[in-house]
C-alpha cells in the first residue's frame, strides 16, 4: 500500500502537469516538486514512527509532486535537442533511472541507516538545476549564440509559450499516433514496475536465491538497459540522419523490437529458470534489459516529436495510462 501511494498521488496531478509546464515553463515547477520530494524524504523516519497513515499521506503528497516530473522533464528537454537527435536525448536523460535503480538494488538496505542522504541529494539537485538550467536555449547564459541558433532552427515556435486556450485538445484526442503512444506507455510502465518491485521477491521466493546473490541478479537488467539504450538511440538517430529510414519507420521498428522481444523474454523468464538453473534467469534478465531499452527510441521518442510546443501536455495525458500500468 505504501509502495503504490505515490502512484495514486501522481494520478491526481499528472493530467494538469503537462499543460502547466507548457504554459508557465517547467523549470520552476521542477524545482518546487523536487523540493517537496526532498522534504518528504527528510521527514520519512519521523512520520513512519508517528503513524502509518500519516506516512501514507506524505507518500501521497510525494506522488502528487512526482506527477509533474516526467511531463516537465520532457517539456524542458524538448527544446534542447534538434529533431534528428531526439532518440539520443531520450536515452541520455532517462539513464538516471537505470543508474538509480541498479545502485539502489545493491546498496538500498544500507542507505536505510544513513540519516538525511536521500533528502540531501534532492537539495543538491535543486541548487545545481537552479543555476545551470533554463526552459529554453535563448534564456541560458552558459551557451554561445551559435549553439542557440542551431537549437532554435529546429523549433519554429521557439520563445513562445502556449496558453491553455492554445492547446489543440481536439487534435490531440483524435490522433491515432497519440493513442498508440498511450498504450505503449501502459505496457512500458507495467513491465518497468515488475522489474523494480517484484524481481527481488521472485528471486527470493521462487528461485530460492540467497540475498547475497539477489542484488546481483536484480541489477542485471539495469546494466544492460543503460548500455543498450544509449547505443540503440545513437543507431536510431543515425538511421534518421542518413535517410536510411524515416523518423516514423524508425520509431515503429524500435518499438516493435522492444515490445515483442520483451514479451517473449518475460515468458521465458517465467518458465525456463528453476532452483537448479537460476543462471537462466540472469541471462533472460540481461536480454530483457537490452531489448526493452529499444522502447526509448520507439514510443518515448515519438511522444517528444509529435508536437514539440505541446510536449508537456501530450506526455502528461499519456502518463495517466503509465501510472495505471
Amino acid at each position: 500500500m505504501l509502495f503504490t501511494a505515490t502512484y495514486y498521488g501522481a494520478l491526481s496531478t499528472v493530467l494538469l502537469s503537462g499543460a502547466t509546464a507548457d504554459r508557465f515553463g517547467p523549470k520552476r515547477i521542477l524545482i518546487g516538486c523536487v523540493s517537496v520530494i526532498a522534504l518528504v524524504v527528510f521527514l520519512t523516519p519521523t512520520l513512519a514512527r508517528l503513524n502509518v497513515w500519516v506516512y501514507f499521506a506524505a507518500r501521497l503528497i510525494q506522488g502528487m509532486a512526482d506527477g509533474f516530473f516526467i511531463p516537465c522533464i520532457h517539456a524542458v528537454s524538448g527544446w534542447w535537442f534538434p529533431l534528428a537527435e531526439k532518440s539520443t536525448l531520450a536515452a541520455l536523460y532517462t539513464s538516471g533511472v537505470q543508474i538509480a535503480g541498479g545502485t539502489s538494488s545493491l546498496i538500498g538496505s544500507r542507505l536505510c541507516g544513513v540519516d538525511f542522504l536521500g533528502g540531501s541529494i534532492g537539495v543538491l539537485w535543486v541548487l545545481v538545476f537552479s543555476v545551470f538550467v533554463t526552459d529554453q536555449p535563448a534564456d541560458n547564459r552558459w551557451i554561445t549564440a551559435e549553439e542557440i541558433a542551431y537549437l532554435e532552427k529546429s523549433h519554429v515556435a521557439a520563445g513562445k509559450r502556449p496558453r491553455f486556450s492554445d492547446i489543440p485538445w481536439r487534435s490531440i484526442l483524435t490522433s491515432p499516433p497519440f493513442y498508440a503512444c498511450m498504450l505503449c506507455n501502459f505496457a512500458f510502465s507495467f513491465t518497468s514496475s515488475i522489474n523494480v518491485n517484484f524481481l527481488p521477491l521472485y528471486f527470493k521466493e521462487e528461485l530460492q536465491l540467497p540475498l547475497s546473490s539477489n542484488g546481483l541478479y536484480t541489477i542485471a537488467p539495469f546494466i544492460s538497459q543503460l548500455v543498450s539504450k544509449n547505443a540503440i538511440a545513437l543507431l536510431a538517430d543515425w538511421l534518421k540522419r542518413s535517410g536510411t529510414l524515416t523518423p516514423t519507420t524508425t520509431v515503429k521498428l524500435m518499438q516493435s523490437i522492444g515490445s515483442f522481444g520483451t514479451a517473449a523474454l518475460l515468458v521465458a523468464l517465467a518458465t525456463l529458470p528453476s532452483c537448479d538453473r537460476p543462471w537462466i534467469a540472469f541471462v533472460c534478465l540481461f536480454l530483457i534489459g537490452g531489448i526493452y531499452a529499444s522502447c526509448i527510441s520507439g514510443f518515448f521518442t515519438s511522444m517528444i516529436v509529435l508536437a514539440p510546443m505541446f510536449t508537456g501536455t501530450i506526455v502528461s495525458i499519456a502518463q495517466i495510462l503509465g501510472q495505471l500500468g
Side-chain angles (χ1 to χ4, degrees):
M1 185 182 65
L2 290 172
F3 272 134
T4 55
T6 54
Y7 296 110
Y8 299 143
L11 275 171
S12 68
T13 58
V14 69
L15 184 60
L16 174 68
S17 61
T20 305
D22 288 337
R23 178 65 185 93
F24 298 106
K27 177 180 177 178
R28 286 174 291 180
I29 298 172
L30 281 169
I31 290 172
C33 290
V34 177
S35 299
V36 169
I37 292 171
L39 178 61
V40 171
V41 173
F42 274 131
L43 294 175
T44 287
T46 303
L47 297 178
R49 294 188 194 101
L50 183 65
N51 184 280
V52 67
W53 292 109
V54 174
Y55 182 41
F56 180 80
R59 292 276 294 172
L60 281 175
I61 294 171
Q62 181 178 343
M64 293 173 69
D66 198 46
F68 284 88
F69 210 82
I70 292 179
C72 285
I73 285 288
H74 275 71
V76 72
S77 60
W79 295 104
W80 280 88
F81 277 65
L83 180 63
E85 298 175 13
K86 294 293 188 182
S87 294
T88 303
L89 155 71
L92 279 173
Y93 79 71
T94 58
S95 291
V97 175
Q98 282 71 51
I99 295 171
T103 303
S104 64
S105 297
L106 288 178
I107 64 172
S109 59
R110 294 172 188 157
L111 293 179
C112 293
V114 181
D115 291 337
F116 303 123
L117 178 61
S120 300
I121 292 173
V123 172
L124 178 63
W125 184 92
V126 166
L127 293 174
V128 174
F129 193 80
S130 301
V131 173
F132 291 104
V133 176
T134 56
D135 290 333
Q136 296 189 16
D139 302 325
N140 197 288
R141 58 181 175 146
W142 304 100
I143 64 173
T144 65
E146 290 79 11
E147 289 173 308
I148 293 174
Y150 172 70
L151 292 169
E152 287 192 342
K153 71 180 180 182
S154 298
H155 306 290
V156 294
K160 299 180 182 178
R161 281 210 181 107
R163 297 168 295 180
F164 286 110
S165 58
D166 294 330
I167 298 173
W169 293 108
R170 179 177 296 179
S171 297
I172 292 173
L173 297 177
T174 56
S175 168
F178 169 70
Y179 284 104
C181 287
M182 286 186 70
L183 291 173
C184 289
N185 200 22
F186 176 88
F188 186 85
S189 298
F190 187 90
T191 308
S192 178
S193 296
I194 288 176
N195 286 342
V196 172
N197 295 322
F198 296 108
L199 279 182
L201 190 64
Y202 169 71
F203 293 133
K204 179 175 178 289
E205 302 292 341
E206 185 69 19
L207 298 185
Q208 303 289 308
L209 282 175
L211 287 176
S212 58
S213 301
N214 200 321
L216 178 63
Y217 274 64
T218 305
I219 199 176
F222 293 110
I223 294 175
S224 58
Q225 278 181 53
L226 181 62
V227 175
S228 65
K229 78 174 177 180
N230 285 284
I232 291 169
L234 289 171
L235 172 63
D237 284 339
W238 176 82
L239 290 172
K240 288 179 280 189
R241 280 196 306 269
S242 65
T244 304
L245 296 176
T246 66
T248 299
T249 303
T250 302
V251 294
K252 286 182 176 181
L253 173 64
M254 297 303 174
Q255 185 62 37
S256 297
I257 293 172
S259 293
F260 295 118
T262 301
L265 286 165
L266 282 173
V267 172
L269 179 64
T271 55
L272 298 181
S274 66
C275 297
D276 299 324
R277 299 179 297 172
W279 60 268
I280 297 178
F282 184 88
V283 173
C284 289
L285 282 169
F286 197 84
L287 293 175
I288 285 172
I291 293 178
Y292 174 72
S294 297
C295 296
I296 297 297
S297 297
F299 88 95
F300 211 84
T301 298
S302 185
M303 286 197 300
I304 302 173
V305 301
L306 279 175
M309 193 172 177
F310 304 103
T311 294
T313 301
I314 289 172
V315 173
S316 67
I317 300 173
Q319 275 298 105
I320 294 175
L321 276 189
Q323 295 292 346
L324 287 173

